[in-house]
Amino acid sequence: MLNTLKKLIKISGVSGREHNLAEFIKTLLADYCDRIERDTLGNLIAFKRGTAEKPKKVMLAAHMDEIGFMTTFIEDSGLIRFGTIGGINFNAAAYSEVVFEQGIKGVLIPDKSVAPADYKATKFYVDIGARNKKEAERRVKIGDCFSLSPSLIRLCGERIAGRPFDDRIGCAILIDIAKKLKSCPDDVYFVFTVQEEVGCRGSKTAAFTIAPDYAIAYDVTSTGDMPGADPMAIKVGEGAAIKIKDASVICDNRLVSLMQKTAKENKIPFQNEILTAGGTDTSSMQVAGNGAVAGALSVPTRYIHSGVELLDIKDAKACSALTLALLANGLD
Amino acid sequence: MINIKEMLSSLSSLMSVSGFERYDKDRLLSLISPYFDAYREDAVGNFIFIKKANNEDAPLMLIDTHYDEIGMLVTDIKDNGFLSVTNVGGLDTRIMPAAEVTIYGKEMLFGVVDSTPPHLKDPKASKKLPKVSELLIDTGYTKETLSKIVSIGTPVSFYPRISELEGGYLVGKGLDNKACVAAAVSAIAPLNADSLRYNICLNLSTREEIGLVGGKVGAYHIDPDYAIVLDVNLAAAPDAPKHRTVKPGAGPSVSLSAVTDRALTHHIIDRAKRAEIPYQTVVETVSTGTNADVIALSRCGVPTAVVSVPLKGMHTYTEAVSLDDIEKTARLLREILTSEVPK
């Protein structure tokens, strides 16, 4: 799981620009599925056939995209102005290294006269070291995307910090499931979605195409285990978080109960998640087309959307193990 | 060739406040139908014009240009014969006092929005802008007479008047988005079935200003292979930030955004370059604020691009558009419709 994650974070995938990441995941999964293709919006859909006579369709989704920035304007000085893609925390992003999709590096700097409380996109610029506009324009074009540089450091036990774990950890879980899944009654669609960070867009069209009976999203969730955190009964390292509700969805309670029961029977550590802010692909899969029985398994993560997102790989492994146990018996 | 100035002047005069787009339907159809093979409507009142290519299997291209305009609805007839209103779409109350309006009741009435002369204003009174609900329209009628012509829910629009600015600019109301309707019709009109690489559905969509309604419904049942949304974009003004606006008179703008399809967008830019049509790019990071935001996510997803005509004074009764920009937008659209998107 950790090795897959290390590879996945190195490939840039700002919302709308997930192409390279999709092509990489395709190479990882080619041997483990019956069919693999990309759809109109760029979602990567890997299909594994079920053994039942009339198999149900199960859609497992993790989003490939990460938050980032898009170049809007290049100053005469060669400094680069940008707009945001997804929820950027500028206090966490100030004075960080950034990397453009074509590999150019730069640093993200706030206007010196602006107080941290007033940070916003229009008060920041990227310095790529260009001497003037002309030199900058040779390397960066209007519309080019960039993000904070990827990183991964090992901490105590199996805990790690870095970025973008939201939601490459979900992608790593899906890849782990696909590799370990022997045969199961249901048809399984492993879907690596696009544009989750800007409104759960990819999962809408993918769920419309697939029309799943069951849908599970894999994403990070907040925790209540750090100073100043909103009260929340989720802790890093305490197991897979079975989502009951977030700001965008109330998960189907039949699926929630099945997840809880399966976790108990298989002695897989789990916690029940109620997230008061934020949403996931769960919501769009629940209501696409004729609708689906939808839920989510989350990896508790501190400092989400910063450069040092912190999680415990054991929790991700629990999400994978619980899914394999669910699929072995069939979801029906 | 269509005379863009005449076409746009006629379109601007049509009443099309969101939800009331049918009001001048006959005049709309007589302006546009002659250039198309077929016409149909749907449940939300979209006006859909169809033009076929010679090749039946050609991909289906949706061109979406919303036809509705912002306006008001009557909410009350006051004892003194004044009308109060609510807004339909984004109405800026800074421009409302003393504005001229048309009230589309059983008869068309002229009205002016009440404004207190400076002589009578308490200098200590609040400098805050009036709320829409505080605006009053003076028609000169008594309540008794007015009640026979106007009822609660009667639509009100800016008074239709077309004028010109030096440099080829047309000025009037509702040019958002009739400038683009004019561009689309004038692009498609001269094309014959042999030259078309797509079967075309031109959707003059309804209710865009109140939540992208027609665009969403239209895309669902038209189920196109590609979509191009034509909408106006904010043109640079002396007091507007440069990086959020486009240059008026510098040609159509093409949107770079997460929601738009890069391959289709690059194809459009490539056609503009080859045909030497001046164009500009505009970054709209996450979403475009146009029908493209919902069309791209329709069904299994639709590759969608946005081409825009720069418009000064958006959402006023003196919106100003360069006729040359409309003409260049039409030329670009014609280039797109007569070429294939590379696979």
Side-chain angles (χ1 to χ4, degrees), chain A residues 306-317:
Chain A
S306 79
V308 289
E309 299 175 325
L310 186 153
L311 58 82
D312 194 321
I313 286 290
K314 279 192 298 195
D315 294 335
K317 287 177 178 165

Side-chain angles (χ1 to χ4, degrees), chain B residues 228-338:
Chain B
I228 292 174
V229 173
L230 295 183
D231 206 336
V232 290
N233 206 339
L234 300 160
D239 56 347
K242 237 200 224 167
H243 65 279
R244 290 191 55 202
T245 53
V246 289
K247 246 171 104 179
S253 73
V254 182
S255 176
L256 301 172
S257 166
V259 80
T260 52
D261 187 80
R262 283 271 171 147
L264 181 59
T265 302
H266 285 157
H267 172 63
I268 291 171
I269 290 173
D270 185 51
R271 295 313 302 184
K273 281 181 184 158
R274 283 190 203 201
E276 296 180 351
I277 301 168
Y279 72 96
Q280 29 194 342
T281 54
V282 58
V283 171
E284 296 167 313
T285 50
V286 168
S287 51
T288 65
T290 70
N291 277 339
D293 297 354
V294 289
I295 294 170
L297 305 185
S298 184
R299 290 182 183 249
C300 306
V302 179
T304 304
V306 180
V307 176
S308 297
V309 176
L311 182 75
K312 298 199 260 191
M314 195 183 290
H315 285 200
T316 69
Y317 35 82
T318 51
E319 294 179 328
V321 67
S322 151
L323 292 168
D324 192 45
D325 281 341
I326 300 179
E327 199 271 326
K328 288 187 176 112
T329 305
R331 264 174 64 204
L332 177 56
L333 187 58
R334 219 172 290 136
E335 283 293 326
I336 299 163
L337 296 176
T338 52

